[in-house]
């Protein structure tokens, strides 16, 4: 028997888990649970400091402004971003990627240019580029994978030609867990002067990313996948690019001066944060960053690796189970699998009856599912509050589903 792996973070810190003692929550790649400290930080903000930031001359408005900007600084520090004003708050990864494609893309991509994305992408890092290509007449090219679900880097290199304006790639695949070689991808993009855009939705929660040191031109992430609240995430982009590109949305706060005929833009980050901002989101996310810092991101990573390896090994030993994606060395804390004779949706419903929450479906990665020749997979994803008891419950549930459905 392998030694038991306890949760890295106490379940008691997470009110949802404390309220549901038998629950095995294995869907953190979709969204994470929230520690009480995050929920408390949000409540405290509303109880003590709520007003519309940047707008009032009174002390309470100054407190709201301070809470908002102090949170930006803490989140930037956690993510390894020195110039905090290049962290633009968005609703999440989806909005951040749409912002780049709409604002930078429309200003910089034209007919005959090329946009390269990878076969692994979540729809959020695929569709905005596909639409931009269709609108501008640029060529949209997909970099294919090796049989094990890693990027075929030789083919990718040959696709990134001097006409390429954008290379968009995920740091970590949500569907397979593949960890991509970011530094190599950045080098390929920069050799031809293309923009290196990194979807960090599945890396910021799990790795010590150090965005400055990745060398990417743009990095998008979602707070709700890293113990923070829903409705906040961000775009980190090189200052000179943000300063040169047009704004994404127009309205309050993003202007410097509105003339009758034309308008000038506010400085960063305000230029890209039109309208009343989401203050509670950054406040809660900053508390989430503190929580992760206290756990230690290296420990978080090692913990998830241990659970992913255990789950991969135990599931692969069940007849009819195929674990998809690369070997554990090239994978994050995600196990995507199929069970012969059982549809992933049926499997996830049967697992739910055992208190095991997993994701079933195409994982917003239909182009990848086509390449894998499957319609859907079942995906278990691990985080700080999981332990080997969750893996055992998953394995027992899959075995029992197989007995019932296959015989
Ligand atoms: N990119 C990846 C790799 C994801 O896993 C997700 C969410 O699952 C997204 C983008 C979209 O994130 P959000 O829905 O938070 O905007």
């Amino acid at each position: 028997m392998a030694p038991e792996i306890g949760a890295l973070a106490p379940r008691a810190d997470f009110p949802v888990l404390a309220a549901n003692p038998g629950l095995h929550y294995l869907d953190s790649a979709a969204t994470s649970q929230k520690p009480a400290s995050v929920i408390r930080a949000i409540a405290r903000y509303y109880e003590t400091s709520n007003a519309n930031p940047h707008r009032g001359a009174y002390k309470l408005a100054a407190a709201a402004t301070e809470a908002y900007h102090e949170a930006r600084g803490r989140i930037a520090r956690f993510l390894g971003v020195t110039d905090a004003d290049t962290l633009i708050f968005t609703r999440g990864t989806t909005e951040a990627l749409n912002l780049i494609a709409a604002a930078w893309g429309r200003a910089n991509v034209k007919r005959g240019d090329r946009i390269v994305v990878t076969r692994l992408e979540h729809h959020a890092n695929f569709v905005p580029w596909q639409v931009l290509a269709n609108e501008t007449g640029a060529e949209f090219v997909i970099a294919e994978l090796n049989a094990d679900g890693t990027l075929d880097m030789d083919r990718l290199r040959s696709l990134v030609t001097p006409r390429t304006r954008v290379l968009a790639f995920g740091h970590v695949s949500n569907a397979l867990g593949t960890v991509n070689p970011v530094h190599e991808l950045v080098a390929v993009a920069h050799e031809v002067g293309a923009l290196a855009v990194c979807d960090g939705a599945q890396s910021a929660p799990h790795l010590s990313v150090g965005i400055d040191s990745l060398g990417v031109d743009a990095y998008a992430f979602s707070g709700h996948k890293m113990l923070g609240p829903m409705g906040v995430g961000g775009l980190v982009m090189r200052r000179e690019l943000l300063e040169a590109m047009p704004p994404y949305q127009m309205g309050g706060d993003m202007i410097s001066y509105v003339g009758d005929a034309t308008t000038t833009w506010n400085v960063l980050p305000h230029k890209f944060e039109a309208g009343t901002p989401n203050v509670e989101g950054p406040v809660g996310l900053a508390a989430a960053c503190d929580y992760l810092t206290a756990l230690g991101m290296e420990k978080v990573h090692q913990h998830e690796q241990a659970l992913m390896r255990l789950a991969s090994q135990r599931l692969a030993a069940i007849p009819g189970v195929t674990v998809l994606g690369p070997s554990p060395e090239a994978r994050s804390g995600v196990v995507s699998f199929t069970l012969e004779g059982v549809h992933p949706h049926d499997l996830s419903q049967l697992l739910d009856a055992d208190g095991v929450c997993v994701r079933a479906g195409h994982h917003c990665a239909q182009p990848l599912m086509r390449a894998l020749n499957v319609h859907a997979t079942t995906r278990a994803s691990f985080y700080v509050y999981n332990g080997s008891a969750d893996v055992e419950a998953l394995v027992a549930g899959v075995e029992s589903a197989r007995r019932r459905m296959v015989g």
Side-chain angles (χ1 to χ4, degrees), residues 69 72 84-89 267-273:
H69 288 291
R72 191 189 313 271
D85 289 342
T86 61
L87 162 53
I88 309 299
F89 287 128
V267 294
L268 299 179
H270 313 290
K271 176 180 169 185
F272 291 98
E273 293 182 356

Side-chain angles (χ1 to χ4, degrees), residues 29-31 91-97 120-125 170-175 199-203 220-225 232 359 363-364 379:
T31 199
R91 279 193 299 121
T93 305
T94 302
E95 192 177 43
L97 293 167
L120 282 169
E121 296 320 300
H122 186 283
H123 296 159
N125 202 25
H171 193 166
V172 175
S173 153
N174 63 310
D199 173 348
Q202 298 294 344
S203 59
F221 68 97
S222 296
H224 69 94
K225 294 183 195 287
V232 68
R359 179 75 178 267
H363 314 294
C364 296
R379 179 190 71 186

Side-chain angles (χ1 to χ4, degrees), residues 284-371:
L285 180 53
C289 292
D290 291 348
Y291 190 92
L292 287 169
T293 301
L295 289 177
M297 287 309 283
E298 189 46 43
K299 279 198 188 138
V300 169
H301 175 61
Q302 281 167 9
H303 179 70
E304 293 167 6
Q305 286 286 309
L307 294 175
M308 177 268 287
R309 279 166 191 270
L310 178 66
S312 303
Q313 200 182 23
R314 301 274 280 113
L315 287 169
I318 301 173
V321 167
T322 304
V323 175
L324 303 165
S327 65
E329 291 70 48
R331 192 139 51 86
S332 73
V334 166
V335 183
S336 213
F337 63 98
T338 55
L339 172 60
E340 204 181 336
V342 185
H343 192 281
H345 287 144
D346 295 334
L347 179 58
S348 78
Q349 273 175 7
L350 289 168
L351 288 169
D352 182 44
D354 298 330
V356 178
C357 309
V358 292
R359 179 75 178 267
H362 54 60
H363 314 294
C364 296
Q366 286 177 344
L368 172 63
M369 296 294 123
R370 279 196 295 283

Side-chain angles (χ1 to χ4, degrees), residues 30-44:
T31 199
S32 64
Q33 298 303 341
K34 323 300 173 197
S37 60
V38 167
I39 299 166
R40 271 201 312 272
I42 295 169
R44 203 179 317 119

Side-chain angles (χ1 to χ4, degrees), residues 365-397:
Q366 286 177 344
L368 172 63
M369 296 294 123
R370 279 196 295 283
L372 296 173
N373 215 8
V374 293
H375 290 296
T377 78
T378 304
R379 179 190 71 186
S381 51
F382 303 101
Y383 212 8
V384 294
Y385 32 68
N386 295 125
S388 53
D390 297 313
V391 175
E392 296 309 332
L394 168 70
V395 170

Side-chain angles (χ1 to χ4, degrees), residues 202-275:
Q202 298 294 344
S203 59
H206 307 290
L207 304 170
S208 177
V209 282
I211 294 176
D212 284 352
S213 65
L214 288 177
V216 296
D217 297 304
Y219 181 99
F221 68 97
S222 296
H224 69 94
K225 294 183 195 287
M226 48 192 291
L227 308 183
M230 287 193 178
V232 68
L235 167 67
V236 177
M237 197 158 174
R238 284 206 345 254
R239 174 176 276 277
E240 59 273 27
L241 296 169
L242 288 170
E243 282 177 344
M245 68 200 229
Y248 176 49
Q249 293 178 333
M250 324 297 154
D253 228 23
M254 52 75 68
I255 56 88
S256 169
Y257 184 75
V258 181
D260 285 354
T262 58
T263 294
T264 54
W265 315 130
N266 202 345
V267 294
L268 299 179
H270 313 290
K271 176 180 169 185
F272 291 98
E273 293 182 356

